[in-house]
Amino acid sequence: MENIQRSLVLIKPDAVERNLVGKIIDAYEGEKLKITALRMITVDEILAKKHYEEHISKPFFNELLEYITRSPLVAIVLQGENAIEKVRKINGNTNPEMAEYGTIRKKYGIDKTKNSVHASDCEISAEREISIWFPEGVKK
Ligand code: GDP
Ligand code: MG
């Protein structure tokens, strides 16, 4: 049975700054994931806090907030078969040092904070995150 899902992806500031947007999008499109929404935005603290609310009490939260707001990022909705798991596999482990060969974070990630990409971790998160980044709604 088909399992069409959506995932909210961020191409984070460290990747946009190093002109990696095209290469990263190519990795997703090459795996039959469809872009259904895309925008470039410099995030303010309010939006960043909303997106990362589950991490508010973590020791790395302030560093994360400062980094994610420092320059533009690209927010994307990807849709396709098993999109949630597929995108997280393409991205690789949170820590670039631990990431599998061939993944985006292995290739481009700098460190635990500056790891180039974000992707939703389940369908509930995906819908929550899509409504944060695309409040006008995204057609399925
Ligand atoms: P993800 O779902 O793989 O992005 O990882 P998490 O949801 O656990 O963390 C969100 C983001 O916070 C990560 O993508 C990193 O940018 C940052 N982060 C997570 N864990 C750490 C950590 O242990 N140290 C630091 N400095 N940053 C972290
Ligand atoms: Mg996460």
Side-chain angles (χ1 to χ4, degrees):
M1 257 239 329
E2 276 207 324
N3 181 33
I4 304 297
Q5 296 179 323
R6 309 201 289 180
S7 181
L8 185 283
V9 167
L10 301 177
I11 303 178
K12 294 177 174 180
D14 70 278
V16 176
E17 287 164 7
R18 289 176 293 146
N19 300 351
L20 296 170
V21 174
K23 286 192 176 74
I24 291 172
I25 286 178
D26 195 45
Y28 301 131
E29 289 191 321
E31 293 297 322
K32 293 200 238 169
L33 291 156
K34 189 96 197 160
I35 296 173
T36 57
L38 184 151
R39 84 153 35 112
M40 179 176 262
I41 172 175
T42 305
V43 188
D44 62 24
E45 225 181 272
I46 294 169
L47 191 81
K49 276 187 174 154
K50 224 188 248 178
H51 175 78
Y52 280 125
E53 66 181 10
E54 64 175 309
H55 297 302
I56 279 173
S57 59
K58 305 270 171 70
F60 58 81
F61 187 71
N62 281 343
E63 193 183 338
L64 178 59
L65 216 63
E66 208 163 291
Y67 154 67
I68 209 74
T69 58
R70 79 180 184 193
S71 63
L73 56 74
V74 177
I76 302 171
V77 178
L78 291 174
Q79 183 169 312
E81 180 72 16
N82 293 321
I84 306 263
E85 194 191 336
K86 202 184 251 186
V87 175
R88 287 187 71 90
K89 217 165 200 179
I90 296 167
N91 285 0
N93 193 286
T94 307
N95 180 354
E97 278 180 23
M98 312 264 292
E100 305 72 10
Y101 283 94
T103 61
I104 290 171
R105 282 166 165 171
K106 184 70 175 186
K107 281 199 254 188
Y108 307 127
I110 295 169
D111 60 32
K112 269 182 165 181
T113 301
K114 301 182 258 317
N115 59 5
S116 303
V117 280
H118 163 86
S120 310
D121 60 11
C122 66
E123 289 191 54
I124 291 170
S125 308
E127 294 310 307
R128 187 186 78 87
E129 292 169 3
I130 290 168
S131 71
I132 291 172
W133 295 93
F134 298 93
E136 72 277 21
V138 177
K139 242 178 143 179
K140 287 187 188 175

